[in-house]
Amino acid sequence: MKFALASSPFGRKMFKTPDLMRLVILCLLPGIFVQWYVFGWGNLIQIAIAGLFAVITEAVIVAIRQRPVLPTLRDNSALLTGVLLGISLPPYTPWWMTAIGIVFAILVAKHLYGGLGQNLFNPAMVAYVLLLISFPVHMTSWAPPEALMQNNVTLADAWSMITTGFSIDGYSLHQIKIAVDGTTMATPLDTLKTDLGHGLTTSESMAKPIFGTFAGYGTEWVSFAFLIGGLVLLKQKAIGWQIPVSFIAGLFLFALIGYLGDPDASASPLLHLFSGATMFAAFFILTDPVTASTTVRGRIIFGLLIALLTYVIRTWGGYPDAVAFAVILANMCVPLIDYYTQPVVYGSKKA
Amino acid sequence: MSQLDDVTSNDAEPMDGSKEAKTGLISSESKEIILQGLWKNNPGLVQLLGLCPLLAVSSTVINALGLAIATTAVLVLSNWIVSLVRHHVPKEIRIPIFVMIIASLVTCIELVMHAYTYDLYLSLGIFIPLIVTNCAIIGRAEAFASKNTPTLAALDGLMMGLGFSLVLLALGAIREVLGNGTLFHGAQALFGNLFGDITVHVFTTESTFLFAVLPPGAFVVMGFLIAVKNIMDKKA
């Protein structure tokens, strides 16, 4: 009789890589849907472009490396990287920037390190950071939520913006961004940061139309939808609870300390949690099984570390949001964290 | 000093004391030195010495060329002088003496650049004085020049310098094309009005690819260069 040997963890239900990746993409759908509802077609097109280039790049590199192409593509990991990047990018990023980012992610961040399972850094975040430091103007040009915009951006407009830089009627991104009251808008985190720099108080800044009930107008609901999708992922036991919980709790705690210390000059904890990439990253970026810490204690440290770095860079750094930088910095620490948090093997140490 | 020890054990031993008869124009000894410096033991691609200036100033070809010339000049002269005085230097304090020789040479070069290529002097900034700390130079002084005749030492300095320069130029060219879409931008800083503006516009873009110009881009491009060299060595 032959017994099949499998390595730990001996889960009751084993996820195969393609199933896991598909589940993650399915759980992203509520967030993507709300993002579409609030911001229009831009991100859907970005997801399509990034996904397409991701799959093509993956196929070419795998063929060059003389590995089986179709089984590799079928694990959906490249597609997932593309989807994650497409969600993260500003909606009207020119298509070639998206392409550069995703090709760099798959080629350099993933395959040069040895492919799926070997990469040190989260490929989607590497692409995002590459684009952010290369094209700061485009990468911080977020259009405001559609309800606040003067011009209505149709699907054809969005496609035209991404491929040519101008809408069908010939408006540039800068003109499209003009809001109902004739001012241009940045993201909530960016607006707050600029206003605080100009001497406004938090409550004065948050009276602007870009802010909603408790965080950014529209963006709070996008974050909320990602939270729902993430909870499904958690319920399905596709990800462990440690990273999302420690990250969100950590960010809440650090933001609370800052807020209680100086409520007029710092963002509220709720704004931190429901703005920018917090919720999306907590469940879908940080929990990447390859680049995150693998031990239980290590995951808690990993989440807290990213929370601290995110808070520090958001508050005192040069960029309004910081999750991508924080994730990459924490990725570097993962081997160290894992080394010092290895569980003791039962019986190897006296109690 | 562990870096230097590695270098010493790599290449200096076979050179030591071998007195082969000269055959033809270039002796086999010189041939080996040329091959070592330019390819097999290239300071940039194989020894990975002097990476700090290599990565920092290679954002344009002209900056790279300026530093390449300065470094090569220092390398040739320092190797030559170290080799000349090698029998008079007490073994125990040889490193400080080598450093003093190199530092004097770098000061000379710095003053020359200050006088004749002021724009380049400004754009290279701190990296001219920092040539003193370039490990490739002290490494060659210790590993080769202090054990060989002045002629061979100078040749070694020249070849190591050229090897370093080639990497610097390749890096500069790739980064300038990727980052700005130009080549040889700002040639006047180095050549004065000798050639005029010889900027080559490879492509024009409104949004430059800043990553290639910034330090992380230098590391990535450098990694690719090393990879290409390793592939070529593997195939040969």
Side-chain angles (χ1 to χ4, degrees):
Chain A
M1 208 175 150
K2 198 178 161 204
F3 292 99
L5 286 176
S7 70
S8 61
F10 303 106
R12 190 162 44 83
K13 184 178 165 195
M14 288 280 282
F15 278 111
K16 292 210 173 69
T17 310
D19 301 338
L20 181 67
M21 299 290 173
R22 196 178 312 124
L23 180 66
V24 174
I25 293 177
L26 284 178
C27 290
L28 281 167
L29 286 180
I32 294 173
F33 176 77
V34 178
Q35 208 180 15
W36 165 78
Y37 184 77
V38 174
F39 290 101
W41 293 94
N43 283 96
L44 281 185
I45 301 174
Q46 295 296 348
I47 291 170
I49 295 173
L52 180 71
F53 274 96
V55 171
I56 294 173
T57 316
E58 174 108 334
V60 171
I61 299 171
V62 169
I64 292 173
R65 294 182 71 197
Q66 299 177 335
R67 304 273 173 99
V69 176
L70 277 179
T72 313
L73 286 187
R74 222 172 279 147
D75 73 15
N76 294 329
S77 65
L79 185 66
L80 177 60
T81 306
V83 172
L84 292 178
L85 182 66
I87 292 171
S88 319
L89 291 174
Y92 304 118
T93 310
W95 69 273
W96 52 269
M97 285 185 193
T98 314
I100 288 178
I102 197 72
V103 169
F104 189 86
I106 303 286
L107 174 72
V108 177
K110 187 174 173 191
H111 278 285
L112 287 190
Y113 285 88
L116 184 68
Q118 311 289 327
N119 46 316
L120 190 58
F121 300 104
N122 188 317
M125 289 302 101
V126 169
Y128 186 82
V129 167
L130 171 87
L131 293 176
L132 183 58
I133 62 174
S134 296
F135 311 107
V137 176
H138 286 87
M139 287 297 288
T140 48
S141 298
W142 286 83
E146 291 217 304
L148 299 180
M149 275 157 69
Q150 207 169 39
N151 303 297
N152 192 18
V153 181
T154 61
L155 174 60
D157 278 328
W159 174 254
S160 172
M161 292 282 294
I162 290 168
T163 48
T164 64
F166 295 96
S167 73
I168 299 284
D169 301 325
Y171 289 121
S172 71
L173 176 59
H174 186 73
Q175 289 165 310
I176 288 281
K177 274 176 68 185
I178 294 173
V180 176
D181 56 1
T183 57
T184 56
M185 284 186 177
T187 62
L189 284 173
D190 203 5
T191 309
L192 183 67
K193 193 168 197 167
T194 315
D195 285 351
L196 291 180
H198 288 167
L200 270 69
T201 62
T202 305
S203 49
E204 280 168 351
S205 175
M206 283 188 71
K208 291 190 171 179
I210 190 80
F211 290 99
T213 331
F214 51 94
Y217 178 89
T219 50
E220 58 197 17
W221 300 115
V222 176
S223 295
F224 198 70
F226 281 122
L227 172 65
I228 303 276
L231 290 178
V232 174
L233 213 52
L234 210 55
K235 182 79 181 47
Q236 294 286 323
K237 294 201 182 343
I239 54 174
W241 59 270
Q242 295 92 351
I243 292 178
V245 169
S246 66
F247 172 64
I248 293 173
L251 189 57
F252 185 84
L253 186 72
F254 298 132
L256 189 67
I257 294 171
Y259 191 66
L260 291 181
D262 192 356
D264 277 342
S266 39
S268 70
L270 269 183
L271 182 66
H272 269 290
L273 292 196
F274 286 92
S275 301
T278 311
M279 284 301 163
F280 167 62
F283 293 96
F284 298 98
I285 300 287
L286 271 59
T287 52
D288 174 15
V290 180
T291 56
S293 180
T294 48
T295 61
V296 173
R297 276 187 301 151
R299 284 176 174 174
I300 293 173
I301 297 172
F302 180 77
L304 285 176
L305 179 65
I306 296 180
L308 179 66
L309 287 169
T310 303
Y311 182 72
V312 166
I313 303 176
R314 271 184 184 177
T315 311
W316 295 288
Y319 291 95
D321 202 358
V323 173
F325 290 110
V327 168
I328 286 185
L329 288 170
N331 282 161
M332 282 188 226
C333 306
V334 163
L336 186 73
I337 296 173
D338 279 357
Y339 180 83
Y340 282 108
T341 54
Q342 270 179 7
V344 179
V345 177
Y346 180 71
S348 70
K349 225 180 190 179
K350 276 189 181 171
Chain B
M1 280 296 126
S2 64
Q3 271 181 332
L4 296 185
D5 293 343
D6 291 347
V7 176
T8 320
S9 57
N10 264 345
D11 63 333
E13 302 311 327
M15 307 284 176
D16 218 25
S18 57
K19 289 197 173 69
E20 291 171 35
K22 279 193 177 180
T23 50
L25 195 64
I26 306 172
S27 70
S28 63
E29 208 174 359
S30 316
K31 251 185 207 162
E32 183 59 23
I33 291 175
I34 295 172
L35 202 62
Q36 289 279 349
L38 291 185
W39 190 257
K40 276 194 203 162
N41 206 6
N42 187 300
L45 294 181
V46 181
Q47 302 179 40
L48 302 181
L49 292 178
L51 287 190
C52 163
L54 188 76
L55 298 171
V57 302
S58 60
S59 52
T60 67
V61 184
I62 293 300
N63 277 1
L65 188 61
L67 190 84
I69 293 172
T71 308
T72 309
V74 172
L75 199 46
V76 173
L77 290 171
S78 75
N79 260 15
W80 186 60
I81 294 173
V82 165
S83 178
L84 278 180
V85 299
R86 69 186 190 281
H87 296 304
H88 310 286
V89 174
K91 205 170 168 32
E92 293 76 16
I93 54 160
R94 63 190 192 286
I95 299 288
I97 291 179
F98 295 164
V99 172
M100 272 178 58
I101 293 171
I102 296 166
S104 328
L105 289 167
V106 170
T107 311
C108 298
I109 297 278
E110 192 191 351
L111 290 174
V112 168
M113 292 181 81
H114 198 163
Y116 293 102
T117 57
Y118 187 65
D119 289 338
L120 191 68
Y121 171 84
L122 286 182
S123 76
L124 289 181
I126 187 69
F127 289 99
I128 306 172
L130 275 182
I131 295 175
V132 181
T133 61
N134 190 328
C135 327
I137 296 174
I138 186 88
R140 290 328 288 171
E142 163 72 8
F144 193 91
S146 62
K147 295 168 188 157
N148 287 281
T149 58
T151 328
L152 285 182
L155 179 68
D156 178 74
L158 180 66
M159 287 308 147
M160 285 290 164
L162 284 180
F164 187 75
S165 305
L166 287 178
V167 180
L168 204 50
L169 286 178
L171 209 55
I174 296 172
R175 289 178 67 193
E176 192 178 340
V177 168
L178 284 182
N180 296 327
T182 60
L183 267 178
F184 307 111
H185 182 72
Q188 290 97 327
L190 184 60
F191 299 118
N193 285 323
L194 199 59
F195 301 121
D197 188 7
I198 50 169
T199 308
V200 180
H201 290 278
V202 181
F203 62 88
T204 47
T205 169
E206 278 175 31
S207 27
T208 56
F209 190 47
L210 273 178
F211 178 71
V213 184
L214 293 170
F219 277 100
V220 172
V221 174
M222 184 70 190
F224 274 104
L225 284 181
I226 295 172
V228 168
K229 183 192 181 286
N230 287 349
I231 291 171
M232 285 162 80
D233 281 348
K234 220 175 184 178
K235 283 196 174 151

